[in-house]
Amino acid sequence: MPVTTTGPDAARRAVLQRRIRWIVAATITYNVIEAVVALTAGRIASSAALVGFGLDSIVEVLSAAAVAWQFAGPDPDKREQVALRVIAVSFFALAAFVTVDATRSLLSADAADHSSVGIALAAVSVIIMPAFSWFERRTGMELGSPSAVSDSKQTLICAYLSAAVLIGLVLNSVLGWGWADAVAAFVIAAFAVREGLEAWRGDACKQPIAALTGEIEPHEDPHDCC
């Protein structure tokens, strides 16, 4: 018979909260660097995709900063709803940025120049961002923090966008297909809107890791598991 629990004890929660703070600090640091490099490379290459990528990094910094602010307080649970609202708005802003950038890319008659820096940056982000997302999501699920899980989804969307930008830049450089990354960006924008709505409603996954491994009985509420 499975053993039920209400969540981690105080000592474990302290460890998990400290881990969340380290994760978001690393995410913010990387995204600030990513934004500077992407915006600079985008302006040099006249690449709408890279400029949009840089703007996305700024949005990701905002989302991670909201979680950092939440867990900097003595009682993070009291700041949960505010953090979720900020994350939701950042999702919507990300969708808007990507949509505008993709539309501009499709309508523009000017092809972007080849950008070796942009390709390298997107490739590195494809590797790093999923790792950040997985670590924060796993920690947030065990802690039962919707804001941390929502922020991990934001990071994962950035990983998808990195892949789309990488494919678009490579196809543009090799085959001259400047529209490829724009099409992928529209799909990502739609996904960002959906995740933004979930964060706004507080529907982020709160299922503990132990429930997923069978150590405890999972919650019955379908909104508690993504």
Side-chain angles (χ1 to χ4, degrees), residues 61-226:
V61 169
L62 176 62
S63 177
V67 178
W69 169 80
Q70 178 192 348
F71 285 93
D75 188 357
D77 290 342
K78 291 184 177 180
R79 297 182 171 186
E80 186 83 55
Q81 287 303 314
V82 176
L84 280 171
R85 291 293 187 267
V86 172
I87 291 171
V89 171
S90 70
F91 268 119
F92 298 143
L94 170 57
F97 284 145
V98 171
T99 299
V100 171
D101 182 67
T103 301
R104 184 183 304 165
S105 179
L106 284 175
L107 297 179
S108 176
D110 298 327
D113 296 330
H114 169 76
S115 176
S116 298
V117 173
I119 291 174
L121 176 65
V124 170
S125 296
V126 166
I127 297 172
I128 291 180
M129 300 311 284
F132 281 167
S133 175
W134 177 86
F135 196 32
E136 184 175 12
R137 179 180 175 84
R138 182 181 178 89
T139 305
M141 287 172 66
E142 184 176 355
L143 186 59
S145 171
S147 62
V149 176
S150 291
D151 185 55
S152 74
K153 291 181 179 181
Q154 173 83 291
T155 304
L156 189 58
I157 288 178
C158 291
Y160 295 153
L161 186 58
S162 300
V165 170
L166 176 60
I167 292 171
L169 291 175
V170 171
L171 290 178
N172 180 61
S173 295
V174 176
L175 301 176
W177 293 357
W179 50 265
D181 63 322
V183 173
F186 284 129
V187 176
I188 295 169
F191 184 70
V193 170
R194 191 197 73 173
E195 297 301 337
L197 291 173
E198 285 190 6
W200 187 269
R201 294 192 299 261
D203 289 344
C205 185
K206 296 179 282 186
Q207 195 76 277
I209 287 294
L212 303 181
T213 60
E215 298 171 39
I216 64 173
E217 188 172 329
H219 301 312
E220 296 298 328
D221 189 343
H223 282 141
D224 282 346
C225 189
C226 308

